[in-house]
Amino acid sequence: MANPNLTPLEDALDHLLSEAPVVTQIETVALANSLGRVLAENHYVPADVPPADNSAVDGYAVRKQDLHGDQPIPVSARIPAGEAPKPLEPGTAARIFTGSEIPEGADSVVMQERIEVTDGGILVQAQVDEGQNIRRRGQDLTRGDLALAKGTQVRPNEMGLLASMGAAQVAVLARLKVAILSTGDELVDPGTPLGPGQIYNSNRFTLIGLLSEAGCEVVLCETLRDKREATRETLLRAAESADLIITSGGVSVGEEDHVRAVLEESGSLSLWKMAIKPGKPVAFGAIGGTPVLGLPGNPGSVLVTFLMVGMPYIRKRQGRNPKALSGERIPADFAISSASVRREFVRARKEPRGSEPVVAAYPNQSSGMLSSTCWADGLAVVPENTTVSPGDLLTYYSFAELLS
């Protein structure tokens, strides 16, 4: 049975994505600095790539009809890469190298391993098919075609493709500016000696890493003390410089959980409490016109909710082209005997078992177990109201896919 007080994941995502305005500011960056950025415009092919027929191998350019069994054929030219060749003389071959332009009159290239060089010329020692070992003009890209669409996130692959079209600079969307606010008087920064009741602020650094992987710019990192007015002042100040505020902690029902209360009093709160485990106390609202995503305080919950809720929202804000998660269906190597009304995201990893992989779960799934997130390589999904026995097929998402 579903809990009517908890919002299903799909409903929460539908709401968040409907409230996810795309960044509109455009920047022009050098191609060398474009990795991870999102293209702000379509890129059409300005000229055929390659610009001319060229050789795929080192060898000899010939005209098939000039080959006559065991009769040698003289070599009349040498064509290094980067030089425009003269037409091939009838009845001859041309020495050619990988990437060299095919001379007019040649219709095939024979790789050098299939050639015997004699005093009278070359002997071809293989079957020759017209067009073999020739990369045709426009084979990769044809002038006028759409090569890369607006909203594409640039990987090394796209950098190379843009370079092949002669692009030295590209227009990209500005990075999403994010403020990270951690809540709790008990939090201290690493490098500071711990006092009684204090703990190190690990969530800040988890979120800095996740946001860096996601291509965002962190513009503010502060700790919210457990005071209502201090929380309000810091949230309003963060709203002035950030496109998005992410908080950790302070969204539950405790007397010192002020983030949710401030959003209700001084901004808006449109989502609170989701039907996922870990991570039930997720909040979404706005203050000072800036969206606020409130994550739970437990470190395991921070990772899960950021990946499953925060990343889809961030991708939409970044203008990235939508891409559905595919995951993998893998047999479980663990058991869950007690069904939950919430969808559970188990910190897990793939492990070999014979000829097929299985998905293994970290033994302690407490949301406070940060070590579990380092042991794991992804999340296994246990549907609502479901128990798990070894061998049951579960959907598994790798961290790499969830962050891509």
Side-chain angles (χ1 to χ4, degrees):
M1 293 179 60
N3 186 328
N5 297 318
L6 302 178
T7 304
L9 177 60
E10 288 78 11
D11 292 349
L13 286 175
D14 285 346
H15 173 66
L16 261 68
L17 297 182
S18 71
E19 300 288 332
V22 176
V23 172
T24 57
Q25 183 180 351
I26 295 175
E27 303 170 346
T28 299
V29 300
L31 180 59
N33 299 327
S34 65
L35 183 65
R37 305 302 295 269
V38 178
L39 296 180
E41 58 188 22
N42 292 330
H43 283 262
Y44 295 92
V45 181
D48 291 340
V49 179
D53 293 354
N54 68 86
S55 179
V57 297
D58 292 344
Y60 292 84
V62 299
R63 185 168 54 180
K64 182 179 178 181
Q65 70 181 45
D66 291 338
L67 302 179
H68 302 290
D70 59 357
Q71 296 298 312
I73 181 172
V75 178
S76 62
R78 185 178 185 274
I79 308 171
E83 291 189 8
K86 295 179 180 179
L88 182 65
E89 295 180 15
T92 71
R95 181 73 165 111
I96 198 167
F97 301 91
T98 302
S100 297
E101 186 173 334
I102 303 296
E104 181 184 342
D107 59 21
S108 308
V109 175
V110 184
M111 64 172 53
Q112 60 190 21
E113 292 84 353
R114 299 293 185 264
I115 293 293
E116 179 185 349
V117 179
T118 71
D119 292 339
I122 61 168
L123 285 171
V124 177
Q125 299 179 320
Q127 174 70 34
V128 176
D129 296 317
E130 190 171 312
Q132 72 179 34
N133 297 320
I134 294 177
R135 294 185 293 216
R136 296 298 183 186
R137 173 178 176 171
Q139 175 179 297
D140 190 8
L141 299 169
T142 303
R143 180 180 178 180
D145 285 354
L146 176 64
L148 294 171
K150 175 182 177 180
T152 299
Q153 187 176 33
V154 178
R155 303 170 298 174
N157 321 39
E158 282 76 24
M159 291 177 71
L161 190 63
L162 288 163
S164 76
M165 298 188 297
Q169 296 183 316
V170 290
V172 296
L173 296 178
R175 294 188 189 277
L176 190 71
K177 296 178 174 61
V178 184
I180 301 173
L181 303 179
S182 310
T183 67
D185 289 339
E186 75 279 11
L187 298 177
V188 296
D189 291 337
T192 304
L194 290 177
Q198 293 183 327
I199 60 172
Y200 289 120
N201 186 351
S202 62
N203 287 341
R204 172 185 295 176
F205 294 91
T206 298
L207 288 169
I208 287 174
L210 289 167
L211 289 165
S212 177
E213 288 272 6
C216 298
E217 178 185 352
V218 176
V219 295
L220 180 69
C221 279
E222 291 192 17
T223 299
L224 295 173
R225 296 306 168 192
D226 292 329
K227 303 295 182 184
R228 183 72 56 87
E229 285 310 310
T231 297
R232 190 188 330 274
E233 184 274 331
T234 306
L235 282 168
L236 286 168
R237 179 161 46 85
E240 295 175 357
S241 60
D243 302 311
L244 170 66
I245 300 169
I246 295 181
T247 65
S248 62
V251 292
S252 192
V253 293
E255 293 180 4
E256 303 300 330
D257 291 328
H258 298 298
V259 172
R260 181 176 62 87
V262 168
L263 291 179
E264 290 179 316
E265 294 169 358
S266 302
S268 62
L269 182 70
S270 56
L271 174 69
W272 183 52
K273 295 203 299 187
M274 291 178 52
I276 63 173
K277 180 181 180 182
K280 179 175 70 174
V282 173
F284 181 73
I287 191 165
T290 297
V292 179
L293 179 62
L295 305 182
N298 283 317
S301 300
V302 166
L303 179 70
V304 170
T305 52
F306 181 91
L307 292 175
M308 302 311 303
V309 180
M311 271 307 301
Y313 176 82
I314 287 171
R315 279 192 290 265
K316 178 75 179 296
R317 293 290 307 272
Q318 291 174 324
R320 290 160 65 175
N321 293 331
K323 181 180 179 182
L325 295 174
S326 56
E328 300 177 78
R329 296 287 285 174
I330 306 176
D333 193 40
F334 60 92
I336 295 179
S337 58
S338 179
S340 173
V341 296
R342 292 184 284 160
R343 187 176 309 173
E344 185 168 3
F345 294 90
V346 176
R347 282 145 278 167
R349 69 185 183 192
K350 289 170 61 176
E351 293 184 349
R353 289 290 188 276
S355 61
E356 299 292 336
V358 296
V359 59
Y362 191 75
N364 189 334
Q365 290 289 317
S366 166
S367 58
M369 295 291 293
L370 187 56
S371 58
S372 67
T373 67
C374 298
W375 177 92
D377 291 326
L379 302 174
V381 184
V382 179
E384 299 87 338
N385 306 304
T386 302
T387 59
V388 177
S389 298
D392 289 350
L393 287 176
L394 297 177
T395 299
Y396 170 80
Y397 298 117
S398 69
F399 289 149
E401 180 183 8
L402 292 170
L403 274 169
S404 66

